[in-house]
Amino acid sequence: MEAQNVEVAALVQKIAALHADIAKLPSLSPSPDANALFTSLVMACVPPNPVDVTKLSPDVQGMREELIRLCSDVEGHLEAHYADMLAAFDNPLDHLGRFPYFSNYIDLSKLEFDLLVRYIPGLAPSRVAFVGSGPLPFSSLVLAARHLPNTLFDNYDRCAAANDRARKLVRADKDLNARMSFHTVDVANLTDELAKYDIVFLAALVGMAAEDKAKVVAHLGRHMADGAALVMRSAHGARGFLYPIVDPEDIRHGGFDVLAVYHPDNEVINSVIITRKMDAHTKGLQNGQAHARGTVPIVSPPCKCCKMEANALQKREEMATTTELSI
């Protein structure tokens, strides 16, 4: 335990120093200094570490929240920069590999698709929404081109400039240009439209604070069709310094059944959560069970899941069963 505490303390000290340096940057636009600091931050957060960022001191929590906002700004500037660069080519999609993290998006999109196929049998979506698509909508592009070639994609972002950049990327591809549309709107203003989607993907940085993320999920739960899938991106361990961590309990309260939680241990930063919108009857039953048992949503992890989370869940379920038998 002492060794773990030392390891966590060393990581927090390193992250705090990087945060201080990033906060001093005159601009978060791509530059040698900004690129080097952001790369160092990512490299510090990727290796396994016993840290639970949700249990750190209030001061460190505040630093972490600000760091996530800074990372969001850095990511936005980086994507806008490369979107403009790619738009200068006759067919921008032929040059996506110029983006330094393109391979990560390929891996993440394949991971999400494989999890959807595994946990939602018979998946054949006709229409998909991606909320928080940004100026460089790699996830939608990769999913549409490689995994869902017959599906229509509606991309939503509240930034008009981001959507203008994204449209230019598909202008020369007849197929993707016909299947992908871009809409400037905040997710809070999407209501009836959400009911037409078989799958909704929610970007990691839509709702950066936990309470904001919970509000977004609850909003989706009110308006998505029963049985539709919601794919969410979260973070685990030290990667929680880069992206918000989503609590499966908040997802369940939003009206979704959590089917799978996957925590990558490679260069893919985001965890993936596969959920499905419950109907009113099922939601009522699960709420009743949760109230009676004090249980959390059932997580069905893929082969490289977080074993601690799965084991803890199994113990809770066994305790709940024992309690029922004793009544």
Side-chain angles (χ1 to χ4, degrees), residues 3 24 40 58 76 84 96 127 179 199 211 221 258 293 311 322:
K24 293 175 185 175
S40 295
D84 290 340
L96 295 181
R127 201 172 196 102
R179 291 195 290 124
I199 306 172
E211 58 271 20
V258 178
R293 295 183 179 182
N311 291 339
T322 303

Side-chain angles (χ1 to χ4, degrees), residues 11-25 36-45 63 67 70:
L11 174 68
V12 171
Q13 184 178 13
K14 184 174 184 177
I15 297 296
L18 288 167
H19 165 258
D21 289 340
I22 292 173
K24 293 175 185 175
L25 288 170
L37 284 172
F38 188 68
T39 299
S40 295
L41 178 63
V42 172
M43 294 303 293
C45 294
M63 181 270 290
L67 187 57
L70 288 170

Side-chain angles (χ1 to χ4, degrees), residues 6 74 88 105 112 124 203 239 300-301 321:
V6 171
V74 168
Y105 281 96
E112 290 174 327
R239 301 170 190 220
S300 302
T321 303

Side-chain angles (χ1 to χ4, degrees), residues 22 114 133 137-138 227 277 325:
I22 292 173
D114 289 346
S133 49
F138 276 132
K277 169 72 183 300
L325 292 175

Side-chain angles (χ1 to χ4, degrees), residues 5 40 55 84 114 154 208 215:
N5 291 339
S40 295
K55 295 181 179 179
D84 290 340
D114 289 346
D154 287 328
M208 285 185 277
K215 288 179 182 178

Side-chain angles (χ1 to χ4, degrees), residues 132-197:
S133 49
L136 206 54
F138 276 132
S139 295
S140 288
L141 292 171
V142 174
L143 285 164
R146 298 188 176 210
H147 304 296
L148 297 169
N150 300 311
T151 302
L152 299 178
F153 279 74
D154 287 328
N155 298 279
Y156 293 98
D157 199 284
R158 61 185 181 182
C159 177
N163 286 324
D164 288 341
R165 286 184 165 100
R167 288 188 190 94
K168 294 176 182 178
L169 299 179
V170 298
R171 70 179 190 274
D173 190 296
K174 184 176 180 181
D175 173 56
L176 289 182
N177 192 37
R179 291 195 290 124
M180 300 189 73
S181 59
F182 301 89
H183 312 273
T184 303
V185 61
D186 190 288
V187 63
N189 296 321
L190 290 174
T191 54
D192 295 343
E193 303 96 322
L194 291 169
K196 65 186 178 184
Y197 298 113

